[in-house]
Amino acid sequence: MPEPVIGLRERKRLETHRALATTAVRLVAERGLDQVTVEDISAAAGVSPRTFFNYFASKEDAVVIAHADSAERTQRTIDKFLATPKEVSTPRAFVDALKEDFAQVDENREEWLGRMKAIQENATLHSRAVAMNHDTIAPLIEAIARRTGVDPKAELYPALLLSALGGAVNAVLMLWYQHDGRVSALDLLDDAVELLLAGLPEPGGRAR
């Protein structure tokens, strides 16, 4: 699926957002959330505080919102997922659709290590990250229901699958962070999906 063509103005908007986000992550990881102000982030990124507030409502948002086009990225993931051939299992199709965005964790290792460090150390950032993801839940459940041909209000499968895969993604990110990003997040994601598809067999083949 081809990437959308982006105009010059939109590209500038996305680049400025990224500059502010990466600067916020770096400063908060270095100093701690309470020791960083919007003015600090703006100055380090080379923009005014007024410009900062054109992109973010708070310094917390600047740390947790990595991309300005998060909603569009979610929709592209849904489109890829729904376009995957039916021969591919629904869990595998879902994870494959995530991979392009997920690869950025490996590609931007220091940024994501800093972001996860900040979120782990600050309950307010953790809460904001959870709230930010909340708006994606309903459309993702609807997409799973559409692909599997079930009513999400009558069947457990769509919501249950999303919860399982969301838990897998969180577990992968945590293990990646604990390894200081020196293992491939994409490889860990593949391993997590294989474990889920196999019914989560116990390590070492112990009987249940």
Side-chain angles (χ1 to χ4, degrees), residues 70-81:
S70 296
E72 292 86 350
R73 286 168 178 267
T74 298
Q75 187 57 53
R76 288 201 296 271
T77 295
I78 289 172
D79 292 342
K80 290 175 189 175
F81 169 62

Side-chain angles (χ1 to χ4, degrees), residues 6 9-19 68-69:
I6 301 175
R9 184 174 180 179
E10 177 65 5
R11 187 180 299 279
K12 176 64 175 174
R13 183 180 77 90
L14 296 178
E15 288 173 352
T16 302
H17 185 286
R18 287 290 294 143
D69 57 344

Side-chain angles (χ1 to χ4, degrees), residues 92-123:
R92 171 55 68 186
F94 190 95
V95 170
D96 285 350
L98 288 175
K99 281 187 172 181
E100 185 175 338
D101 279 345
F102 204 81
Q104 296 191 28
V105 174
D106 288 323
E107 293 167 6
N108 300 284
R109 173 175 170 267
E110 292 303 322
E111 175 190 348
W112 279 94
L113 285 174
R115 180 171 287 111
M116 291 196 65
K117 178 177 185 289
I119 289 172
Q120 292 299 312
E121 293 177 352
N122 297 275

Side-chain angles (χ1 to χ4, degrees), residues 137-186:
I137 292 174
L140 291 173
I141 289 175
E142 180 59 38
I144 294 170
R146 180 176 167 188
R147 189 177 197 270
T148 53
V150 300
D151 180 353
K153 295 180 180 178
E155 299 284 348
L156 271 173
Y157 185 83
L160 188 58
L161 178 61
L162 182 62
S163 294
L165 294 177
V169 167
N170 289 336
V172 163
L173 288 174
M174 183 55 64
L175 188 59
W176 178 85
Y177 174 67
Q178 290 168 348
H179 281 273
D180 198 32
R182 300 190 187 282
V183 293
S184 165
L186 273 176

Side-chain angles (χ1 to χ4, degrees), residues 42-61:
S42 303
V47 302
S48 68
R50 181 177 179 180
T51 296
F52 175 95
F53 285 114
N54 287 335
Y55 289 86
F56 299 102
S58 66
K59 64 181 180 181
E60 289 81 5
D61 280 2

